[in-house]
């Protein structure tokens, strides 16, 4: 979504193609995994902008009943804990069905993550595998009760 303009309600009656593409991609998805860094104790502005586009116009919220999980890594000792709390508040307003446990605040350290991006620490690998297993189970539970497409609004 490199070309996603800043959200404004002025666009609600005529979404730009980039925003329609985002909403279409979400409509075709069963769930969303948010992976976020922490900037100034919150989420990056670009992420908030994308959420604003996807959750509008009123009555056409792409996150309504969407299974979602939040994870992130940062160089700080508490990982992305504060950013994730900020994001969770936004997702609650958007009525996303969030996986609340396990939580995953990854402390990004060179000895854990190789230059290639691969995880070089077995404990972290196991933790992330378990997190993804829990997320898969969360998706299955949510979609059993609230199948995607049932009652969903069309994209803008």
């Amino acid at each position: 979504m490199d070309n996603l303009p800043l959200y404004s309600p002025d666009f609600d009656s005529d979404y730009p193609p980039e925003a329609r593409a985002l909403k279409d991609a979400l409509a075709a998805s069963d769930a969303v995994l948010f992976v976020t860094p922490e900037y100034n104790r919150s989420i990056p502005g670009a992420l908030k902008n994308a959420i604003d586009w996807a959750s509008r116009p009123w009555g056409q919220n792409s996150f309504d009943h969407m299974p979602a999980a939040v994870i992130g890594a940062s160089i700080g000792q508490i990982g992305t804990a504060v950013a994730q709390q900020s994001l969770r508040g936004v997702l609650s307003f958007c009525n996303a069905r969030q996986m609340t446990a396990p939580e995953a605040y990854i402390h990004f350290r060179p000895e854990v993550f190789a230059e290639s991006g691969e995880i070089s620490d077995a404990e972290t690998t196991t933790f992330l595998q378990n997190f993804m297993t829990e997320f898969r189970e969360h998706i299955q539970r949510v979609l059993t009760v609230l199948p995607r497409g049932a009652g969903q609004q069309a994209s803008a």
Side-chain angles (χ1 to χ4, degrees), residues 72-97:
S74 74
I75 59 173
Q77 289 291 326
I78 59 172
T80 59
V82 181
Q84 288 185 39
Q85 287 307 107
S86 176
L87 178 54
R88 288 181 185 285
V90 173
L91 294 176
S92 290
F93 178 79
C94 292
N95 205 30
R97 300 305 182 199

Side-chain angles (χ1 to χ4, degrees), residues 48 51-52 55-56 58 61 63-65 86-96 98:
K48 178 62 166 75
I51 292 169
D52 289 344
S55 64
R56 300 284 190 229
W58 187 257
N61 173 12
F63 298 113
D64 187 39
H65 297 300
S86 176
L87 178 54
R88 288 181 185 285
V90 173
L91 294 176
S92 290
F93 178 79
C94 292
N95 205 30
Q98 297 177 64

Side-chain angles (χ1 to χ4, degrees), residues 20-41:
R20 281 195 304 273
L22 173 62
K23 290 182 75 67
D24 289 346
L26 287 167
S29 300
D30 288 330
V32 176
L33 175 62
F34 290 89
V35 182
T36 185
E38 183 170 301
Y39 296 152
N40 297 325
R41 297 196 178 251

Side-chain angles (χ1 to χ4, degrees), residues 29-151:
S29 300
D30 288 330
V32 176
L33 175 62
F34 290 89
V35 182
T36 185
E38 183 170 301
Y39 296 152
N40 297 325
R41 297 196 178 251
S42 189
I43 60 176
L47 175 56
K48 178 62 166 75
N49 185 53
I51 292 169
D52 289 344
W53 277 110
S55 64
R56 300 284 190 229
W58 187 257
Q60 297 182 29
N61 173 12
S62 298
F63 298 113
D64 187 39
H65 297 300
M66 171 80 79
V70 178
I71 190 171
S74 74
I75 59 173
Q77 289 291 326
I78 59 172
T80 59
V82 181
Q84 288 185 39
Q85 287 307 107
S86 176
L87 178 54
R88 288 181 185 285
V90 173
L91 294 176
S92 290
F93 178 79
C94 292
N95 205 30
R97 300 305 182 199
Q98 297 177 64
M99 182 175 81
T100 56
E103 295 178 314
Y105 310 118
I106 309 299
H107 181 197
F108 186 87
R109 299 180 319 273
E111 62 272 14
V112 174
F113 295 91
E115 284 186 36
S116 66
E118 296 294 317
I119 300 168
S120 57
D121 176 69
E123 185 177 330
T124 301
T125 298
T126 299
F127 174 80
L128 292 173
Q129 288 170 337
N130 291 339
F131 180 89
M132 293 308 295
T133 297
E134 289 283 341
F135 185 40
R136 183 186 65 234
E137 292 171 2
H138 172 73
I139 294 166
Q140 291 169 339
R141 284 190 301 271
V142 171
L143 294 180
T144 297
V145 177
L146 301 167
R148 294 292 295 155

